[in-house]
Amino acid sequence: MDIHNRVSEEMNRLVDILRKDQSPDGAWRYCFEGPIMSDAYMIIILRSLNIHDEQLIEQLVKRLLSKQANNGAWKIYYDEEDGNLSSTIDAYYALLFSGKIDQNNERMQAAKQFIIDKGGIGEADLLTKVILACTGNYPWPKYIPIPIEMVLLPLSSPINFFDIVGYTRAHLVPILIAANLKFSLKTAQTPDLSELMFTRGQTSKTLERSFFTAFEQIKQWINQFPYSPSRIRHSAIERAEHYMLERIEPNGTLYSYASTTFLMIFALLARGYRKTHPIILHAVNGLKSFLSETKDGLHLQNSPATVWNTALLSDALQNAGVSPYDPMIRKAGNYLLSRQQTKYGDWAVHNPNVRPGGWGFSDINTMVPDVDDTSAALRAIRRLALHDKVYRKAWNRGLRWLISMQNGDGGWPAFEKNTNKKLLTLLPIKGTEDIIIDPSSSDLTGRAIEFLADDAGLKTDNKIVKKAVQWFKRNQNVDGSWQGRWGVNYIYGTWAAVTGLTSVGISKDDPSLLKAKKWLIEIQNDDGGWGESCQSDILGEYMPLMKSTPSQTAWAVDALIALSDQDSYNIQEGILLLTDQQRFEHWAKSYPTGAGLPGSFYIHYHSYRYIWPLYALGNYRKKFHD
């Protein structure tokens, strides 16, 4: 069979799968599979609240055990050396808390030994320590370097609470409430992890070393308030509580994330809410709505990816030749129309002069739109907007919102405009640029300008595009790659940069694009595909996976298609691999290629084996075989 027929056959196969998997409301609800953290914390929350949902706990326990490695540890990606300390502590603690497995079990003993060998709880990440502190297994610090009073500072302050990106604020607020109130909840079933506190004769670290250790200027401003310190502290805690309550989504979760919701529940308990308070029970039910089946059992998604999946799949299908009037596309379009946001969320603090009009990531997200989902949704409804006034109105509103979110440096952030103060990155916290601020990134900027060029008609002579092109020129790496943010990592960023720049009219012979093409060809695997390790964004340099993954192969080959006027051996080898996904090793098909926090949170999108190959195959056929 020649390559043209193989491409068409594989595209037809993918279309048939997607037609079958679409939900009645038009959405695609493929799993957003993250680390075991959320499964572990769900068990901890249920036991802490004395909610005896034994069937759910047994299912989560089963999945946790299925993910344990032979050495007793849990990993967050396949090629992680030995295992991940924080994930292992999370799983070990949750399994003991479940009461379904005894600490003398051989597997539990292996996990315990791994924790000890890696330095114990004192070496864990911040979130793990916070959960342990909330449940009485780790000491809150006597001194909290970042003052909760920061929530009271006006926007005119040189540094204020809204300079920190929203998803971090939503985590930080409940942590600060619980920490300031020294909250600790133990039940009759709470395990005792004291033997894991001190290891190797080290002095145990406290949370103080994990919190921010600066902000002396903030304290000086706070001391100038004409009120007593205790009154100010009380007011700050009240304001922090209101901050959470004002950002609860209709399903009861905080800011649409499971991780923030776990923390909110503990913070509300710290504020004196009873365990059976309606807000807490509603939050628990909201968490349960995030449950999704996987091959390893039931998994609690940190946030469903429903809008993201639906927007990308609808556009990929149309790019592959499916008519915008096909019932599958019309149903997806109607779903996306229903999810366009109309609320002024935190994004409006730094961008107040535009009406809401963006899209968020998950089905229940009503107040946290982002640039990536918005550009994806706009691409998905563009063809429908050509002949339907309702879609056209939504498209115009979304377009205005997307353009308004461009940062002053020319790039696009994910969630909040110009939330990129470099001063905040000086804080001694691992990965501050990914945790504290929301800077421009190549993936967001590339896809934004690709949309603006292909679907809104903007080219290099437009001032919006010019600023973005200049941003790319300043931020290319010496080897020709660009670093991504929300995907792993350099292949992802380079693909987005290349497809964005070529769409707006940058010549394929431009030196920056020639360097990018050379780099992509150099890192191609022997099987014709591409694969990049999660270690890349931890080490800050490209790290090969040595095996190919479907999404990374699709990104790389799609970039080469954009950079080439003629078909080539490198492109054909990648395309042939994508037409036979059985050639990918089993573990590589589920390797996490989505990124949340470097070294802590990676995502295996179950939709990615369909989305990105379908885009690449469609672009290949249109360019070289139509």
Side-chain angles (χ1 to χ4, degrees):
M1 185 183 299
D2 66 24
I3 191 168
H4 174 71
N5 289 333
R6 288 181 62 170
V7 167
S8 295
E9 184 178 279
E10 178 63 10
M11 290 174 68
N12 290 336
R13 185 185 76 87
L14 294 175
V15 170
D16 289 343
I17 290 172
L18 295 172
R19 196 178 294 278
K20 176 177 64 70
D21 287 353
Q22 189 179 30
S23 299
D25 66 354
W28 280 276
R29 288 180 166 81
Y30 292 112
C31 183
F32 174 87
E33 185 178 351
I36 55 89
M37 172 194 77
S38 53
D39 301 327
Y41 293 172
M42 189 64 180
I43 293 172
I44 294 167
I45 279 289
L46 291 173
R47 286 294 186 233
S48 296
L49 295 175
N50 296 319
I51 296 175
H52 304 294
D53 192 338
E54 300 307 313
Q55 182 179 5
L56 173 55
I57 290 173
E58 287 174 1
Q59 288 177 296
L60 294 173
V61 165
K62 181 180 178 181
R63 184 171 189 275
L64 286 178
L65 291 173
S66 75
K67 307 296 281 188
Q68 188 179 22
N70 292 333
N71 68 343
W74 278 261
K75 294 183 176 184
I76 56 175
Y77 54 91
Y78 181 84
D79 54 323
E80 184 177 30
E81 187 176 359
D82 296 331
N84 186 272
L85 174 61
S86 292
S87 288
T88 303
I89 293 171
D90 292 340
Y92 178 78
Y93 188 39
L95 288 170
L96 289 181
F97 220 151
S98 75
K100 307 295 183 183
I101 188 166
D102 187 82
Q103 64 179 345
N104 295 317
N105 178 282
E106 182 179 345
R107 298 176 70 169
M108 296 298 283
Q109 287 294 305
K112 177 181 175 181
Q113 189 59 53
F114 177 86
I115 295 168
I116 292 171
D117 291 344
K118 292 297 181 181
I121 294 172
E123 298 294 329
D125 291 340
L126 172 62
L127 190 55
T128 295
K129 292 176 181 177
V130 167
I131 296 296
L132 292 176
C134 286
T135 53
N137 268 292
Y138 202 76
W140 290 108
K142 295 179 181 178
Y143 167 71
I144 301 171
I146 182 168
I148 195 170
E149 292 86 352
M150 187 180 179
V151 302
L152 301 174
L153 292 175
L155 295 177
S156 58
S157 300
I159 295 178
N160 65 77
F161 197 53
F162 283 88
D163 287 329
I164 297 171
V165 66
Y167 59 84
T168 296
R169 288 196 307 272
H171 287 85
L172 187 57
V173 164
I175 290 174
L176 288 177
I177 291 174
N180 276 273
L181 296 174
K182 301 293 188 289
F183 173 73
S184 177
L185 171 66
K186 278 195 170 185
T187 71
Q189 289 182 280
T190 304
D192 180 4
L193 300 188
S194 57
E195 62 183 334
L196 300 179
M197 190 69 66
F198 302 98
T199 59
R200 298 178 183 169
Q202 299 173 349
T203 301
S204 174
K205 296 180 181 179
T206 68
L207 281 173
E208 188 170 331
R209 291 184 62 186
S210 296
F211 275 108
F212 313 117
T213 59
F215 288 35
E216 288 302 320
Q217 184 64 53
I218 292 176
K219 296 174 192 175
Q220 292 179 25
W221 296 329
I222 292 168
N223 289 336
Q224 295 174 10
F225 290 177
Y227 305 105
S228 67
S230 61
R231 183 178 175 187
I232 296 171
R233 175 64 54 87
H234 178 73
S235 296
I237 291 174
E238 280 194 337
R239 180 68 195 96
E241 179 185 337
H242 290 153
Y243 181 93
M244 291 190 304
L245 297 177
E246 291 162 1
R247 288 159 179 79
I248 293 177
E249 291 285 4
N251 76 336
T253 59
L254 174 61
Y255 227 65
S256 75
Y257 303 133
S259 52
T260 52
T261 306
F262 294 130
L263 296 169
M264 177 185 72
I265 290 171
F266 284 126
L268 293 176
L269 293 171
R271 289 288 288 153
Y273 288 60
R274 64 187 187 279
K275 293 181 180 180
T276 56
H277 192 284
I279 293 177
I280 289 178
L281 295 182
H282 190 34
V284 172
N285 287 330
L287 289 169
K288 289 181 180 180
S289 73
F290 289 176
L291 291 165
S292 179
E293 285 288 349
T294 73
K295 63 179 178 59
D296 301 310
L298 202 61
H299 171 57
L300 187 78
Q301 303 168 99
N302 196 54
S303 182
T306 320
V307 173
W308 180 241
N309 288 337
T310 304
L312 289 173
L313 285 167
S314 177
D315 185 51
L317 285 162
Q318 293 174 75
N319 186 66
V322 177
S323 168
Y325 300 105
D326 185 293
M328 176 169 54
I329 303 302
R330 295 290 299 194
K331 286 167 62 178
N334 288 335
Y335 170 80
L336 291 171
L337 271 187
S338 75
R339 304 317 301 159
Q340 187 173 29
Q341 298 190 9
T342 58
K343 292 182 180 179
Y344 284 92
D346 287 352
W347 59 268
V349 171
H350 298 291
N351 188 20
N353 298 319
V354 65
R355 295 173 63 199
W359 278 262
F361 182 71
S362 63
D363 187 63
I364 52 84
N365 179 340
T366 65
M367 65 185 82
V368 191
D370 67 85
V371 166
D372 233 0
D373 280 283
T374 299
S375 65
L378 289 170
R379 284 196 296 270
I381 68 171
R382 180 187 67 84
R383 297 170 183 86
L384 295 169
L386 293 175
H387 305 289
D388 189 313
K389 291 181 180 179
V390 175
Y391 282 99
R392 185 67 181 180
K393 182 178 179 181
W395 194 85
N396 286 337
R397 190 166 175 172
L399 175 63
R400 285 192 292 268
W401 186 86
L402 178 72
I403 290 174
S404 78
M405 289 294 290
Q406 186 177 27
N407 279 335
D409 63 8
W412 269 265
F415 297 99
E416 296 178 17
K417 183 176 181 177
N418 293 331
T419 312
N420 51 9
K421 288 186 177 178
K422 292 296 183 181
L423 175 62
L424 292 172
T425 68
L426 300 177
L427 298 170
I429 297 291
K430 181 176 70 174
T432 48
E433 289 212 17
D434 300 309
I435 295 173
I436 303 298
I437 62 174
D438 189 12
S440 300
S441 68
S442 58
D443 41 321
L444 275 297
T445 305
R447 278 200 294 278
I449 64 171
E450 180 187 19
F451 160 73
L452 292 173
D454 292 345
D455 298 305
L458 304 189
K459 296 296 181 180
T460 50
D461 58 347
N462 181 277
K463 65 178 182 179
I464 295 169
V465 172
K466 283 182 179 179
K467 288 178 65 178
V469 171
Q470 291 166 2
W471 183 89
F472 274 117
K473 297 286 188 178
R474 294 194 303 270
N475 286 277
Q476 187 176 23
N477 296 317
V478 174
D479 63 6
S481 67
W482 279 271
Q483 184 175 11
R485 167 61 183 91
W486 300 98
V488 180
N489 184 284
Y490 292 90
I491 293 175
Y492 187 64
T494 304
W495 158 73
V498 163
T499 52
L501 290 170
T502 53
S503 292
V504 298
I506 300 300
S507 170
K508 301 175 183 65
D509 295 324
D510 184 274
S512 63
L513 293 182
L514 290 174
K515 286 175 64 177
K517 184 176 183 179
K518 180 174 182 292
W519 180 78
L520 286 167
I521 291 172
E522 286 175 348
I523 64 168
Q524 188 171 16
N525 291 333
D526 291 340
D527 65 2
W530 282 261
E532 182 175 357
S533 171
C534 292
Q535 295 175 31
S536 285
D537 65 359
I538 300 171
L539 299 176
E541 61 179 300
Y542 171 75
M543 294 295 293
L545 183 61
M546 308 310 295
K547 297 292 181 181
S548 299
T549 69
S551 53
Q552 289 167 333
T553 297
W555 294 332
V557 77
D558 197 37
L560 289 179
I561 291 168
L563 290 169
S564 304
D565 292 322
Q566 294 182 333
D567 202 353
S568 70
Y569 172 82
N570 299 97
I571 292 173
Q572 287 190 6
E573 287 296 291
I575 289 294
L576 288 171
L577 183 60
L578 290 175
T579 63
D580 184 8
Q581 291 204 27
Q582 296 303 313
R583 290 173 58 196
F584 292 101
E585 291 206 19
H586 179 72
W587 65 265
K589 287 183 181 180
S590 58
Y591 190 82
T593 56
L597 294 175
S600 301
F601 197 94
Y602 298 98
I603 306 106
H604 163 43
Y605 287 88
H606 288 209
S607 60
Y608 274 19
R609 69 185 62 179
Y610 309 127
I611 294 171
W612 306 117
L614 189 57
Y615 267 122
L617 294 171
N619 288 336
Y620 177 77
R621 185 169 70 178
K622 284 193 297 184
K623 189 161 188 177
F624 299 124
H625 288 280
D626 274 1

